[in-house]
Amino acid sequence: QVQLVESGGGLVQAGGSLRLSCAASGGTFRSYAMGWFRQAPGKEREFVSAITWRGGRTKYADSVKGRFTISRDNAGNTVYLQMNSLKPEDTAVYYCAADRTRPYSPVVGETREEYDYWGQGTQVTVSS
């Protein structure tokens, strides 16, 4: 069974840190670019970060650049999002996603439409 499962969310005070994990199973996710998106209540899902299948290229939204770091393990089946200096505006449900349409691609998509498989999300809440 194909699965993407996020974990690591929770409640943290502003300025704190969290590390999100996305565990992939049931497919060759190591061949795919992986992305992180987030969605706050009443807002559209927005791009946060993405990484190529090899991990050699990364992309970040301007709002998180310098604070968040995306990475993946050597097997490529777990993707991480290290979130530092968290702000209340980072509060959202965070989703990981896979671009299964173009394996081995150097492209790191920044739009929802470029990802075809999604996890269930994990809640991140940053208090003032």
Side-chain angles (χ1 to χ4, degrees):
Q1 184 176 359
V2 176
Q3 293 186 58
L4 287 177
V5 180
E6 303 96 332
S7 62
L11 176 64
V12 64
Q13 290 187 318
S17 298
L18 286 172
R19 192 189 198 193
L20 305 183
S21 298
C22 176
S25 63
T28 56
F29 288 95
R30 63 183 179 274
S31 303
Y32 310 136
M34 301 289 292
W36 286 96
F37 292 75
R38 66 187 182 186
Q39 187 167 18
K43 297 184 178 180
E44 293 187 348
R45 196 168 300 184
E46 66 175 357
F47 173 76
V48 177
S49 186
I51 188 167
T52 55
W53 71 280
R54 285 184 174 180
R57 293 186 179 90
T58 58
K59 293 278 288 184
Y60 297 93
D62 289 341
S63 60
V64 306
K65 190 174 296 183
R67 299 188 298 121
F68 291 10
T69 303
I70 190 170
S71 62
R72 66 195 305 168
D73 63 14
N74 291 333
N77 291 324
T78 304
V79 182
Y80 305 95
L81 186 68
Q82 178 67 45
M83 305 186 295
N84 298 327
S85 302
L86 284 162
K87 304 174 181 179
E89 50 262 45
D90 295 319
T91 296
V93 176
Y94 283 71
Y95 300 87
C96 67
D99 177 6
R100 302 184 300 175
T101 67
R102 43 193 178 187
Y104 309 108
S105 174
V107 176
V108 281
E110 299 180 55
T111 66
R112 298 185 304 274
E113 291 75 16
E114 294 177 280
Y115 296 85
D116 66 340
Y117 198 82
W118 297 80
Q120 85 289 350
T122 185
Q123 177 71 48
V124 172
T125 302
V126 184
S127 63
S128 301

